[in-house]
Amino acid sequence: MSAATKEKLLEGALRTLAEQGVAKASARTIATTAGVGQGLIFYHFGSVDELLAAACRYGAEQRVARYRERLAALGSLAELLEFARAMHEEERAAGNVALLGQLLAAGQSSPVLAAATADGLGLWVEELEKVLTRLLAATPLDGYADPAGLARATAASFIGIELYEGVDPQGAGSALAALEQLAGLATMLEGLGSLGRRAVRHGLRRGTR
């Protein structure tokens, strides 16, 4: 019963954030959404902020788990870009874009929520780093591109596009289209023969001296 109640509260907190925003995420509102007494928030989590922080981590774990198998099945950088576009549409339709915006805004004034949001984003970065490490190994960029740095840059770009879409949907669409153009380059790099790979590596060495 305790685990079920905690899950109701976590789900209720996420729904409240996505539908009503941080400003209205009070103990009463969350408890009403969850269908439990508000005293249970303080019993299980101590405070509303701690509940929201736990909900942020819980939500990130749920979303990463949803995509983990699809990420593991990707076979090329071009497929990764295609996946990113599909995930963008799914996350927007599920209301998670609005939720992310609320958490990022709230984190500016709440160290607890800032830390929880960073932890949630860290889960995404960890998964992306695994994929990029594996996919880059099949290209001439192996050993030159930093998978960890690229994973963070990818996550940051995704967040930026998500938030940008709220004020300029056309501009966000153009940004995604520009990323898709990289798929052609990625496909070309992955299809190079041994001579082409050596030429690219030689150029990279010269450029880093």
Side-chain angles (χ1 to χ4, degrees):
M1 290 294 292
S2 177
T5 299
K6 290 179 71 173
E7 186 171 351
K8 284 184 178 180
L9 287 168
L10 292 169
E11 295 284 357
L14 289 173
R15 283 181 55 196
T16 301
L17 285 171
E19 296 171 4
Q20 302 187 50
V22 174
K24 295 186 178 180
S26 65
R28 176 176 296 182
T29 305
I30 295 172
T32 299
T33 302
V36 301
Q38 60 180 299
L40 291 173
I41 292 176
F42 303 98
Y43 175 78
H44 286 291
F45 296 97
S47 69
V48 173
D49 269 5
E50 289 294 343
L51 167 57
L52 294 177
C56 175
R57 296 186 182 94
Y58 171 80
E61 289 168 357
Q62 296 295 307
R63 303 314 295 174
V64 170
R66 173 184 174 84
Y67 295 109
R68 184 171 286 123
E69 287 188 6
R70 288 165 63 181
L71 284 166
L74 296 175
S76 67
L77 293 174
E79 288 182 11
L80 176 59
L81 288 170
E82 183 180 349
F83 164 81
R85 184 63 177 262
M87 186 181 73
H88 166 80
E89 297 297 334
E90 291 178 25
E91 291 297 286
R92 181 177 60 179
N96 291 312
V97 174
L99 174 59
L100 178 59
Q102 291 289 336
L103 291 171
L104 289 170
Q108 300 299 310
S109 58
S110 171
V112 173
L113 287 180
T117 304
D119 287 346
L121 291 173
L123 294 176
W124 283 107
V125 170
E126 182 179 347
E127 290 299 318
L128 286 171
E129 183 178 350
K130 292 177 185 176
V131 176
L132 287 168
T133 298
R134 176 169 56 82
L135 297 182
L136 286 170
T139 76
L141 300 178
D142 184 34
Y144 293 93
D146 174 24
L150 282 175
R152 286 172 173 77
T154 301
S157 297
F158 183 77
I159 293 169
I161 291 174
E162 296 297 329
L163 299 179
Y164 186 35
E165 187 173 46
V167 295
D168 185 2
Q170 185 175 355
S174 297
L176 284 170
L179 288 176
E180 285 186 341
Q181 292 173 2
L182 295 176
L185 176 60
T187 300
M188 182 189 72
L189 289 174
E190 290 165 345
L192 287 176
S194 58
L195 182 60
R197 288 172 181 265
R198 286 197 297 271
V200 172
R201 287 181 178 276
H202 178 69
L204 288 170
R205 292 191 189 96
R206 293 184 62 184
T208 56
R209 287 175 182 172

